[in-house]
Amino acid sequence: MSTGRLKSPEELEPGNIQRTTASASWTKQSGADMTAATVAYGVNRTDLGTRHALLAEITRRRGAMTGFGRFELLQPETAALLHASSSNHAEPGNERPAVAAFNPSGEFQWSPPPIWSRR
């Protein structure tokens, strides 16, 4: 876990930020098989409010098959993306929406039979 106090780090959002992050990882290997997982959390505290983010990902390899999964949940700085200034965070009714994404994927590692390698 770490915390940093940053002086005027954002060009589009004046002011200071207190940024805190924490993460944990776990790995287990059994022969050629492997499982790994990571969870991370972060928070930015500013004069205009607080924004959170969460990440979780997992990888599982079993034989020739590997699967991946990643989930993210965050509160983006939508005003900073849409306008030249994000100072409208302080206006009533300006909610901080949450955005979520889940990305699964996988792969199969195939090796040709040894007979195909003969010349």
Side-chain angles (χ1 to χ4, degrees):
M1 184 168 149
S2 66
T3 296
R5 290 176 177 78
L6 310 173
K7 291 190 172 199
S8 301
E10 306 291 342
E11 183 176 335
L12 297 177
E13 185 174 325
N16 302 329
I17 295 178
Q18 179 181 337
R19 184 168 291 155
T20 302
T21 60
S23 64
S25 294
W26 171 81
T27 303
K28 179 181 179 184
Q29 187 150 0
S30 176
D33 298 345
M34 184 267 307
T35 303
T38 299
V39 177
Y41 171 77
V43 60
N44 283 342
R45 289 183 177 83
T46 70
D47 295 338
L48 302 175
T50 301
R51 291 180 306 279
H52 303 270
L54 176 68
L55 162 79
E57 62 183 17
I58 188 165
T59 301
R60 174 75 171 125
R61 182 179 64 218
R62 185 168 182 175
M65 300 291 291
T66 303
F68 312 94
R70 181 180 178 116
F71 174 76
E72 295 180 64
L73 180 64
L74 61 113
Q75 293 176 301
E77 299 178 61
T78 53
L81 297 173
L82 297 173
H83 308 289
S85 170
S86 62
S87 62
N88 63 353
H89 278 308
E91 294 176 10
N94 186 15
E95 298 84 15
R96 289 192 172 86
V99 176
F102 176 66
N103 303 304
S105 64
E107 71 178 21
F108 178 76
Q109 296 175 350
W110 182 76
S111 297
I115 194 168
W116 290 10
S117 300
R118 292 183 184 168
R119 292 185 177 189

